[in-house]
């Protein structure tokens, strides 16, 4: 039986990057229709900036012990917004897009979940009607420019057409979706985002009050040796691998150069030629590996550690304590996050106002 090569960590050496702050997402609606129908493509340039993200549609409604809903029991029209009907098919298409975004298999969903997604559709319809009433709809030329950008992300022109056909989407329907979403984006930028500003004092206050988030995580610079074990290995094969790694541990404990041993014996192709050296943080390695590594003192050597990848020996080279990120390094990031949060809040207020002044009927109880 051939031995497959595994790695005990999820990636190569980890750069010391600032932590990622979590803010409520600004609902950028440009590509809602595209993602809802799965119209996506791989760019030929990996460094090319990706298109604007669709709004977050992952439900935050608590669904523990809630009964799943059967959409077959929903009426054909699930909402009416100022006389405009929202069909059940549109709701189900939006949810299918949400499932695709999450990359998971669709599971049972509660009425609360369907209502949450329906509220998003109602909000988008209200914003679109506001665009129309204020003569803020984008032009055909605007749609053409964005459509050309989308097409350029497909390696060949026929791939774009094949993607449309596979999703049951016509070019005309796609243009309609894009016009709606671009118009809503224009409304958000013109009537909402332009009115939002964040002061330096606000940014500094956020930094000072959330310094637990403003730290580089603790890191370990270590070296390790792996003897791979196939998941389907026999007991005899596992015993052979264990004996081999124990022999290497004996050499390392006797003072042999650990990096040289790693280059000679380690079966981790990602680090062996580098003397087995890695830089890791918590959460990046298999749990038994992490537990053993973080228990070591610099210069310390672990006993044999078993993970799903095989058997390891770990030597800790350096413990890099978590450090506070300088204010200047995150100032722009915090400002952008606070601005998005404020825009999100104002947009929800605008939608609430449009609901109050209009007529909205929902038919999912």
């Amino acid at each position: 039986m051939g031995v497959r090569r595994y790695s005990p960590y999820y990636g190569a050496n980890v750069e010391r990057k600032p932590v990622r702050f979590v803010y409520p997402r600004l609902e950028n609606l440009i590509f809602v229709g595209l993602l809802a129908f799965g119209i996506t493509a791989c760019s030929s340039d990996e460094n090319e900036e990706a298109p604007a993200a669709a709004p977050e549609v992952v439900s935050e409604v608590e669904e523990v012990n809630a009964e799943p809903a059967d959409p077959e029991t929903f009426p054909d029209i699930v909402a009416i917004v100022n006389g405009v009907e929202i069909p059940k098919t549109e709701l189900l298409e939006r949810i299918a897009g949400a499932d695709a975004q999450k990359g998971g298999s669709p599971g049972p969903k509660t009425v609360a979940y369907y209502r949450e997604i329906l509220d998003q559709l109602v909000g988008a319809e209200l914003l679109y009607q506001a665009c129309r009433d204020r003569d803020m709809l984008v032009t055909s030329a605007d749609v053409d420019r964005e459509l050309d950008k989308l097409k350029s992300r497909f390696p060949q022109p026929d791939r774009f057409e094949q993607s449309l056909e596979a999703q049951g989407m016509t070019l005309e329907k796609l243009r309609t979706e894009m016009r709606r979403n671009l118009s809503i984006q224009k409304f958000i930028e013109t009537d909402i985002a332009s009115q939002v500003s964040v002061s330096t004092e606000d940014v500094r206050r956020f930094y000072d009050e959330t310094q637990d988030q403003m730290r580089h995580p603790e890191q370990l610079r270590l070296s390790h040796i792996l003897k791979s074990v196939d998941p389907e290995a026999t007991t005899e094969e596992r015993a052979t691998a264990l004996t081999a790694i124990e022999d290497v541990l004996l050499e390392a404990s006797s003072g042999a150069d650990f990096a040289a041993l790693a280059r000679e014996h380690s079966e981790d192709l990602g680090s062996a030629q580098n003397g087995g050296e890695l830089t890791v943080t918590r959460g990046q390695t298999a749990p038994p590996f992490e537990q053993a590594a973080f228990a070591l003192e610099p210069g310390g050597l672990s006993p044999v550690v078993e993970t799903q990848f095989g058997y390891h020996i770990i030597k800790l080279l350096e413990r890099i304590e978590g450090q506070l990120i300088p204010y200047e390094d995150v100032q722009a990031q915090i400002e952008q996050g606070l601005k998005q949060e404020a825009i999100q809040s104002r947009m929800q207020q605008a939608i609430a106002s449009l609901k109050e002044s209009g007529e909205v009927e929902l038919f999912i109880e």
Side-chain angles (χ1 to χ4, degrees):
M1 180 185 296
V3 177
R4 287 181 282 180
R5 309 301 185 190
Y6 298 94
S7 174
Y9 56 97
Y10 313 127
N13 283 9
V14 180
E15 297 178 7
R16 303 188 65 197
K17 296 181 179 179
V19 293
R20 296 178 62 189
F21 310 113
V22 179
Y23 302 99
R25 287 193 181 185
L26 168 63
E27 290 197 346
N28 186 339
L29 298 170
I30 293 182
F31 287 91
V32 174
L34 311 188
L35 288 181
F37 288 93
I39 308 302
T40 57
C42 295
S43 171
S44 58
D45 183 357
E46 293 183 356
N47 296 321
E48 185 177 359
E49 184 178 354
E56 183 62 60
V57 292
V58 179
S59 174
E60 296 181 358
V61 173
E62 182 61 55
E63 298 192 32
V64 177
N65 298 323
E67 290 294 327
D70 180 6
E72 292 295 326
T73 64
F74 296 164
D76 291 339
I77 302 302
V78 291
I80 300 178
V81 182
N82 294 324
V84 176
E85 296 178 343
I86 297 180
K88 177 171 67 175
T89 53
E90 185 175 348
L91 173 64
L92 298 183
E93 286 169 353
R94 177 66 182 273
I95 288 176
D99 288 336
Q101 267 189 279
K102 291 183 286 186
S105 58
K109 299 172 176 63
T110 65
V111 171
Y113 180 87
Y114 284 102
R115 279 292 299 268
E116 184 179 0
I117 303 303
L118 180 57
D119 282 343
Q120 294 181 16
L121 291 175
V122 168
E125 177 61 34
L126 286 166
L127 291 174
Y128 178 71
Q129 292 178 11
C131 296
R132 182 197 59 205
D133 295 344
R134 301 182 194 188
D135 197 24
M136 295 179 65
L137 299 180
V138 298
T139 66
S140 295
D142 294 327
V143 175
D144 288 339
R145 279 192 294 272
E146 291 301 323
L147 188 56
D148 287 342
K149 290 179 185 178
L150 179 63
K151 289 179 178 180
S152 71
R153 296 186 178 278
F154 287 79
Q156 292 90 29
D158 61 338
R159 293 284 295 276
F160 171 75
E161 296 170 3
Q162 291 169 6
S163 183
L164 283 178
E165 184 178 354
Q167 301 301 327
M169 169 79 82
T170 65
L171 182 60
E172 188 57 37
K173 186 173 183 179
L174 177 61
R175 287 181 58 87
T176 299
E177 290 288 336
M178 294 186 75
R179 188 178 191 219
R180 285 176 59 89
N181 295 326
L182 288 169
S183 297
I184 293 171
Q185 180 65 19
K186 180 180 178 181
F187 174 81
I188 293 172
E189 292 174 350
T190 303
D191 276 27
I192 298 177
S194 63
Q195 307 301 316
V196 171
S197 63
V198 176
S199 69
T200 303
E201 291 76 15
D202 292 334
V203 176
R204 184 73 207 199
R205 186 182 306 110
F206 182 91
Y207 177 83
D208 291 339
E209 293 177 355
T210 59
Q211 292 200 356
D212 58 324
Q213 299 182 45
M214 308 293 171
R215 303 188 70 85
H216 292 289
E218 180 186 23
Q219 294 182 302
L220 300 183
R221 189 170 68 85
L222 55 82
S223 185
H224 87 115
I225 298 170
L226 167 68
K227 279 294 181 183
S228 297
V229 179
D230 193 285
E232 300 176 1
T234 64
T235 302
E236 182 179 353
E237 289 169 334
R238 289 181 178 279
T240 299
L242 180 58
T243 298
I245 197 74
E246 288 175 338
D247 289 343
V248 177
L249 177 59
L250 182 59
E251 288 188 67
S253 300
S254 299
D257 182 82
F258 195 91
L261 290 174
R263 282 189 286 269
E264 180 180 355
H265 298 287
S266 182
E267 295 176 344
D268 176 21
L269 302 182
S271 68
Q273 295 308 307
N274 193 36
E277 187 168 331
L278 307 172
T279 302
V280 301
T281 61
R282 292 187 185 276
Q284 291 183 317
T285 64
F289 188 98
E290 176 181 302
Q291 184 177 358
F294 277 86
L296 293 172
E297 295 297 329
L301 194 64
S302 77
V304 174
V305 178
E306 182 179 3
T307 72
Q308 69 267 40
F309 307 106
Y311 298 109
H312 313 259
I313 307 169
I314 308 166
K315 181 174 183 178
L316 181 59
L317 305 176
E318 180 185 9
R319 185 181 294 271
I320 305 170
E321 299 297 334
Q323 298 177 358
L324 183 66
I325 303 171
Y327 171 73
E328 293 75 15
D329 291 355
V330 292
Q331 180 179 0
Q333 188 179 357
I334 295 173
E335 181 178 359
Q336 181 63 20
L338 292 177
K339 185 172 182 179
Q340 288 187 352
E341 187 178 42
I343 293 171
Q344 176 79 12
S345 176
R346 289 197 178 205
M347 187 172 65
Q348 294 304 324
Q349 292 172 15
I351 291 173
S353 177
L354 291 168
K355 280 183 180 179
E356 186 175 350
S357 61
E359 291 188 25
V360 176
E361 297 177 86
L362 303 178
F363 303 118
I364 296 180
E365 298 298 335

